[in-house]
Amino acid sequence: AEYMAPEQAAGGRVDTWTDVYGLGGVLHEAATGERPVAGASIRGRRRLPRPVTDAIEAALAADPRARPGIPDVEAALEALAA
């Protein structure tokens, strides 16, 4: 349930944006060692490139329309490999 999008937990529509939220939860835990907490920022907690922290935090947005698409998250993660 920690990676369940708010709209999914409320019994709402499940779509790509729901998957982005779950991915954001997994990435947050991989980056910090902790499960995501609503409203908590990971900026400054780890030495990650700003695009990566921005993508993780955007993926965990409560509003599905504010979440990035999978290609945007992928591009941010590619910054780690560069």
Side-chain angles (χ1 to χ4, degrees), residues 1-81:
E2 288 86 7
Y3 303 128
M4 189 178 289
E7 66 274 13
Q8 183 179 14
R13 182 177 172 200
V14 176
D15 57 16
T16 303
W17 308 117
T18 309
D19 295 337
V20 170
Y21 187 93
L23 176 60
V26 170
L27 293 173
H28 182 283
E29 188 166 352
T32 67
E34 300 172 1
R35 292 187 173 132
V37 176
S41 176
I42 65 169
R43 287 189 187 108
R45 296 184 58 197
R46 294 282 187 178
R47 293 182 184 261
L48 294 171
R50 181 72 183 252
V52 174
T53 58
D54 288 349
I56 293 171
E57 291 191 351
L60 292 171
D63 180 356
R65 296 169 296 180
R67 295 179 197 145
I70 293 290
D72 300 318
V73 176
E74 179 182 16
L77 294 176
E78 286 178 351
L80 288 174

